[in-house]
Amino acid sequence: SPKMMENAVFMSFTFYSTILILKMYVVAIITGQVRLRKKAFANPEDALRNGGLQYYREDPDVERCRRRAHRNDMENIFPFLFLGAIYSLLDPSPMVARIHFFIFCVGRIVHTIAYLLRLKAPTRSVAYSVAQLPCFSMALQILLATTPYW
């Protein structure tokens, strides 16, 4: 609705959410490319088309992208989408909200880079933890705002 488009916090949330969704698409594309490079296909028909049933198999590099990086995104970005949307409706300070969204977004990007490039520990876990802070903050603020209605 046009009224939502006037909400600076919601527009900021929309910007960062879109960046994160695009990042998830990039991880999916990378997973497909690793599958092709490593000849490790999830379906027999794909393996047959690309050299034979021996390529219908799992590969650790594919699983690193698919199971770990992509699944971790789904476990973290989807809750952020809910929390950020509701938080945007609470009329928070636009600057504080932007900081929440930015920290989460950067944390998730660094987390993915650390996963895919196998950066030294604790890079990935620090990025994960930093990205969780704004989510906990938003969740707490949502609970405080909605407690009178339970």
Side-chain angles (χ1 to χ4, degrees):
S1 97
K3 190 145 184 112
M4 287 304 288
M5 302 306 268
E6 295 171 15
N7 181 336
V9 173
F10 185 76
M11 293 307 293
S12 179
F13 165 71
T14 301
F15 173 81
Y16 286 106
S17 296
T18 303
I19 296 293
L20 290 165
I21 296 297
L22 290 172
K23 185 195 78 59
M24 289 178 72
Y25 282 132
V26 168
V27 171
I29 291 167
I30 290 169
T31 302
Q33 293 302 309
V34 172
R35 256 189 211 293
L36 288 170
R37 185 171 41 83
K38 300 293 292 248
K39 287 189 161 267
F41 299 99
N43 301 300
E45 63 272 18
D46 296 333
L48 285 170
R49 184 168 186 246
N50 289 279
L53 278 178
Q54 70 270 27
Y55 300 117
Y56 171 51
R57 60 188 177 87
E58 286 189 3
D59 178 86
D61 293 330
V62 172
E63 293 308 304
R64 183 173 197 85
C65 295
R66 186 182 73 84
R67 274 199 192 182
R68 296 188 196 114
H70 194 69
R71 181 180 283 174
N72 195 280
D73 273 350
M74 291 188 296
E75 291 170 353
N76 290 277
I77 292 173
F78 293 164
F80 167 81
L81 296 175
F82 172 79
L83 292 171
I86 301 302
Y87 174 73
S88 296
L89 300 174
L90 299 179
D91 198 29
S93 157
M95 181 58 74
V96 171
R98 225 175 265 124
I99 291 168
H100 278 72
F101 305 149
F102 176 79
I103 290 172
F104 182 80
C105 187
V106 170
R108 292 310 304 170
I109 291 169
V110 171
H111 181 271
T112 297
I113 291 168
Y115 237 129
L116 297 180
L117 298 181
R118 301 173 191 239
L119 299 182
K120 288 191 292 187
T123 306
R124 192 180 75 242
S125 56
V126 168
Y128 171 86
S129 298
V130 166
Q132 292 309 300
L133 294 174
C135 288
F136 284 121
S137 173
M138 289 187 295
L140 182 60
Q141 291 177 68
I142 292 167
L143 285 175
L144 290 172
T146 59
T147 299
Y149 303 98
W150 75 287

